Amino acid sequence: MKSFQSVEEVNEYFEKALADLDKEYEQKLLTIEKNEQQVTRTLQKQYEQQKKAIAQQYEHEEKKLNQNRDQAIGKIEMLFANKREVILEKYNIVCEEEKKNYHVNKIELLEQKQAEECRKFQFYHEQQKALITQIAQATDLTGAMEQALDNLHQEFTDTLSKSNQQFDEAEQLFEENCHVLVQKRDEAIENLMDNEAASQSQLDDQLFEALHDLSEKTEKNYEQIEQSYIEKEQSLQEMVFARLEKINADYDKQREKLFELQEEALALFD
């Protein structure tokens, strides 16, 4: 122990020692506080950076999911547009073929009508020739010729009526066939539109599910970094508390030691 010459020197020495101890103690507390603040700021900065990174990742994945959906929709629209063109092209081809058959049928019916009329007129002509050669035997040639002409007129009328009926039937069949073709075309296009809508709806459902999963994943990531941040803060507080306890304990022990030494030094002057 240092040798002292007086009580005043003892008191002065230990007062200074206590002052130095207090100063050192306060400096340690200040250092701990500064270190704690610095570490806290670092933890907060890391936490904010992690949150920002998660948000950016979410935006990136969300944008990618929407882009993939839009691209798929575009492909579906193109696919079904091509199918629609195929249906319309097929309809036009079959419709043109139906029109062609209709016109060919009309020509055939017209040729049949003309042939029938020629045959009947030829029969009438032969009939007239035969009546002329029998002029000596005929008692009423004029009446016979008028009757033959009336018969020819009636046969022409019957042929025309039959022909008109055949034309009407052919036209009705053509219109019915065209109606069936239009109906089939419209049904095919309607089914195509339903399938296209169903495909797009399925994509929308898949997008909704993917976005939902992405939201859950993102929320879980937020919870994980928040829990990690809380645990680090708690660990920091525990470490600071333990450090403070040790500093306080050392401080109290050193103060007590100084008081004991001071008492021993003062006892030398009793």
Side-chain angles (χ1 to χ4, degrees):
M1 179 186 294
K2 177 179 170 59
S3 61
F4 300 100
Q5 302 300 322
S6 65
V7 172
E8 288 77 11
E9 186 179 354
V10 172
N11 290 332
E12 182 180 352
Y13 174 82
F14 282 100
E15 284 177 2
K16 184 177 181 304
L18 285 171
D20 292 340
L21 179 62
D22 289 342
K23 185 177 180 180
E24 181 184 0
Y25 172 70
E26 291 174 357
Q27 185 62 41
K28 288 181 179 179
L29 293 180
L30 182 61
T31 300
I32 288 179
E33 182 180 0
K34 288 182 178 179
N35 290 340
E36 180 186 6
Q37 292 175 350
Q38 183 178 358
V39 173
T40 299
R41 285 194 297 267
T42 300
L43 290 176
Q44 289 177 340
K45 184 177 179 180
Q46 291 176 347
Y47 176 58
E48 293 301 327
Q49 289 175 342
Q50 289 174 332
K51 286 202 302 182
K52 184 178 180 181
I54 291 174
Q56 290 176 341
Q57 181 67 21
Y58 174 82
E59 290 177 1
H60 173 73
E61 294 188 20
E62 181 186 32
K63 182 178 180 181
K64 186 177 180 181
L65 287 172
N66 282 295
Q67 286 177 342
N68 291 340
R69 183 261 182 192
D70 292 340
Q71 289 176 358
I73 289 292
K75 291 179 180 179
I76 287 176
E77 290 176 347
M78 185 179 298
L79 173 64
F80 282 94
N82 291 336
K83 289 185 177 182
R84 191 178 295 108
E85 288 298 322
V86 170
I87 291 174
L88 293 175
E89 184 178 355
K90 182 178 179 180
Y91 163 76
N92 290 333
I93 292 174
V94 176
C95 190
E96 288 298 322
E97 188 68 24
E98 195 66 33
K99 288 180 181 178
K100 181 180 177 181
N101 292 337
Y102 171 62
H103 290 304
V104 169
N105 193 22
K106 284 180 66 176
I107 293 173
E108 290 178 352
L109 290 175
L110 183 60
E111 289 176 348
Q112 291 177 8
K113 174 177 174 293
Q114 291 174 344
E116 184 70 15
E117 290 176 342
C118 287
R119 187 184 65 77
K120 292 182 181 299
F121 186 79
Q122 185 63 32
F123 177 76
Y124 167 75
H125 181 67
E126 295 297 331
Q127 199 176 38
Q128 294 298 308
K129 286 172 61 177
L131 289 174
I132 292 174
T133 57
Q134 299 173 6
I135 192 170
Q137 293 85 6
T139 57
D140 189 4
L141 181 60
T142 301
M145 295 181 70
E146 288 179 352
Q147 183 61 44
L149 183 60
D150 289 342
N151 292 340
L152 177 63
H153 180 266
Q154 183 61 44
E155 289 179 354
F156 273 11
T157 300
D158 293 342
T159 300
L160 178 61
S161 178
K162 178 182 177 182
S163 178
N164 287 338
Q165 183 178 358
Q166 289 176 330
F167 281 137
D168 290 341
E169 291 174 352
E171 184 175 3
Q172 182 179 358
L173 179 61
F174 169 70
E175 290 178 352
E176 289 176 353
N177 290 340
C178 286
H179 176 72
V180 171
L181 288 175
V182 170
Q183 191 174 22
K184 288 183 177 180
R185 178 203 65 188
D186 293 344
E187 288 177 354
I189 291 178
E190 184 177 354
N191 289 334
L192 198 65
M193 293 174 64
D194 290 341
N195 291 335
E196 181 178 2
S199 298
Q200 292 185 0
S201 178
Q202 184 178 5
L203 282 176
D204 289 337
D205 292 341
Q206 291 174 352
L207 175 62
F208 177 81
E209 184 176 352
L211 289 175
H212 178 70
D213 292 343
L214 178 60
S215 295
E216 287 189 342
K217 174 185 174 183
T218 302
E219 187 64 27
K220 186 176 180 180
N221 289 337
Y222 278 131
E223 291 175 356
Q224 287 176 345
I225 65 169
E226 184 177 7
Q227 182 63 31
S228 176
Y229 173 70
I230 292 173
E231 290 175 356
K232 288 178 180 179
E233 273 197 326
Q234 289 176 345
S235 177
L236 175 62
Q237 293 299 322
E238 291 173 359
M239 183 179 66
V240 169
F241 180 76
R243 182 62 178 160
L244 287 174
E245 277 192 331
K246 185 176 185 308
I247 290 175
N248 288 329
D250 291 343
Y251 171 71
D252 291 339
K253 185 177 180 180
Q254 288 175 358
R255 277 176 60 85
E256 185 178 348
K257 183 64 175 178
L258 284 175
F259 286 134
E260 289 178 356
L261 292 173
Q262 185 179 13
E263 289 178 357
E264 289 178 4
L266 289 174
L268 296 175
F269 295 96
D270 290 343

